[in-house]
Amino acid sequence: MKSTILLLLFVESTTAFIVSPNTIRQSVSLRKKYEDMDEEEKAVALEKATKAMTAFTNKYLENTCTKLCSDKSVPAVVIKGLAEHKLTLGAPLCPCRFYDDKEAEAKDGYWNCPCVPMRERHECHCMLFLTEDNAFVGEETSITYEEVIEGSNIQF
Amino acid sequence: MKLLTAISLSLLISSAQAFTAPRRVQRSVSLYAAEGEEKAVAMVSGEDLELLLQNMEQPLVVDAYATWCGPCLLMAPEFEQAAQELKGKVKFVKLDTDQEEEMASRLNIMGLPTLLFLDKYQDDENPDARAVLKGRIEGAMQKKSILDLVEHYFFDGPAPQLF
């Protein structure tokens, strides 16, 4: 009996490493590059990235004791920009700067959110993480995904 | 088309924040001109801007921005209001740095938004020059600060205290 159980456990553990062809195909599609995705896949990826950056923002606000701008469309737009960069560049490069070479900057890391000025001095040029002495600081320390979508739906 | 020529840098000011008023931001002002009112700020391409700089008829203020730049969004209605007030006297334009990378690189844009203050340039020593960069500033700002900077750079007004 014991040996049968041990044998079954052994078989189960070894077959865990054997994946079905369907699983392999699914794993490959999850690692697809953003530019190779179709529109539906891009929309799903963008939603996922936006939710991730929203969660990161809320956590970092808490960690740094900073607050959001009183006008929540400002952080909404920035979070959307961070999500876009995360998808296209592989890193949440600061969307409030112009770069001659975005790919190089994303690899370098200085301006990947949270950028070095923010980490060292709590200076956020994007007005995403505001200290109490900022003229535009609000009272809120979190933003929802729905607020990000609503606030970033603005045309210049 | 001639390349952009003889923009001489006379002043470089960089700042992170230029607002001094402690008021809270209100979303009571539309991003654009009031309904029915024609926009005073024109969106320009790199080519458009180059043409403007070749044919400077009046002082020019350029707002270099990007789609996902939050402070750029904050400043947009302030910039429009300043443009409305100075219609006919000073030209206000916006440049999307995501779309016009070559021009943004030429203008040495870094932080966003960046405002550039350009005026007519006339010099016998440099007859090909058409425009001079009188000043530049990074960071979102209120209409009053924009107007104060225009007054200072173009009409001999006092240097504004922005901090």
Side-chain angles (χ1 to χ4, degrees):
Chain A
M1 181 67 174
K2 265 191 188 174
S3 59
T4 309
I5 292 170
L6 283 170
L7 182 63
L8 283 171
L9 283 172
F10 174 75
V11 167
E12 195 181 338
S13 64
T14 51
T15 55
F17 292 101
I18 302 169
V19 293
S20 72
N22 285 339
T23 309
I24 291 172
R25 275 198 287 276
Q26 186 183 25
S27 299
V28 167
S29 72
L30 284 173
R31 291 195 297 271
K32 209 177 190 180
K33 279 188 179 175
Y34 183 69
E35 55 264 27
D36 297 330
M37 293 180 186
D38 61 34
E39 289 308 312
E40 199 180 318
E41 287 171 327
K42 277 184 178 175
V44 169
L46 183 58
E47 182 183 337
K48 191 178 171 187
T50 305
K51 284 180 176 171
M53 293 317 302
T54 304
F56 152 74
T57 298
N58 290 331
K59 191 68 191 168
Y60 203 70
L61 284 163
E62 188 187 333
N63 289 350
T64 55
C65 299
T66 50
K67 292 182 178 176
L68 292 168
C69 180
S70 52
D71 183 339
K72 272 185 154 181
S73 63
V74 172
V77 164
V78 174
I79 288 169
K80 197 74 185 297
L82 290 169
E84 294 266 348
H85 278 163
K86 191 165 159 59
L87 285 175
T88 56
L89 302 169
L93 190 66
C94 175
C96 306
R97 290 189 71 82
F98 173 76
Y99 312 92
D100 283 321
D101 187 338
K102 276 189 175 179
E103 283 78 11
E105 292 285 353
K107 277 186 186 152
D108 176 68
Y110 188 95
W111 291 112
N112 289 344
C113 188
C115 64
V116 169
M118 179 61 203
R119 280 182 260 156
E120 290 184 350
R121 301 182 298 280
H122 284 189
E123 284 176 9
C124 178
H125 175 72
C126 278
M127 297 175 68
L128 181 59
F129 307 108
L130 297 179
T131 50
E132 279 291 353
D133 59 347
N134 190 289
F136 286 85
V137 70
E139 293 304 318
E140 296 190 61
T141 54
S142 69
I143 187 168
T144 64
Y145 169 72
E146 289 72 26
E147 284 175 315
V148 169
I149 296 305
E150 190 193 333
S152 61
N153 190 24
I154 288 176
Q155 302 288 324
F156 272 92
Chain B
M1 184 179 291
K2 283 186 181 176
L3 294 173
L4 191 64
T5 56
I7 297 179
S8 58
L9 187 62
S10 61
L11 187 65
L12 178 67
I13 300 173
S14 65
S15 66
Q17 291 289 348
F19 284 104
T20 55
R23 71 178 177 87
R24 294 289 185 239
V25 173
Q26 300 293 330
R27 289 286 302 282
S28 57
V29 179
S30 73
L31 290 178
Y32 304 109
E35 203 168 319
E37 194 176 28
E38 195 184 323
K39 272 194 254 181
V41 179
M43 192 150 332
V44 294
S45 65
E47 276 185 17
D48 294 336
L49 183 55
E50 200 154 338
L51 276 173
L52 280 172
L53 292 169
Q54 292 289 333
N55 302 288
M56 291 285 287
E57 291 169 358
Q58 53 190 210
L60 178 68
V61 184
V62 181
D63 172 14
Y65 76 97
T67 305
W68 301 118
C69 161
C72 301
L73 172 71
L74 196 65
M75 194 178 76
E78 306 287 322
F79 194 68
E80 173 64 31
Q81 285 176 46
Q84 290 284 353
E85 267 196 45
L86 293 172
K87 224 173 189 175
K89 215 172 152 190
V90 178
K91 194 166 181 63
F92 285 71
V93 299
K94 330 157 59 88
L95 182 81
D96 185 341
T97 59
D98 286 332
Q99 300 296 321
E100 306 295 333
E101 292 182 355
E102 191 186 325
M103 181 54 79
S105 183
R106 275 185 185 172
L107 295 172
N108 201 25
I109 303 297
M110 289 180 280
L112 298 170
T114 289
L115 292 185
L116 303 167
F117 298 84
L118 297 131
D119 205 351
K120 216 186 248 186
Y121 182 74
Q122 285 168 329
D123 185 353
D124 292 333
E125 286 182 18
N126 209 346
D128 290 334
R130 296 287 181 268
V132 59
L133 181 67
K134 302 296 286 288
R136 59 189 295 153
I137 190 163
E138 288 181 4
M141 54 183 61
Q142 288 178 322
K143 181 189 80 170
K144 185 182 181 313
S145 297
I146 298 171
L147 293 175
D148 287 346
L149 283 166
V150 165
E151 192 64 31
H152 171 60
Y153 286 128
F154 300 141
F155 306 112
D156 296 323
Q161 288 186 333
L162 301 174
F163 302 100

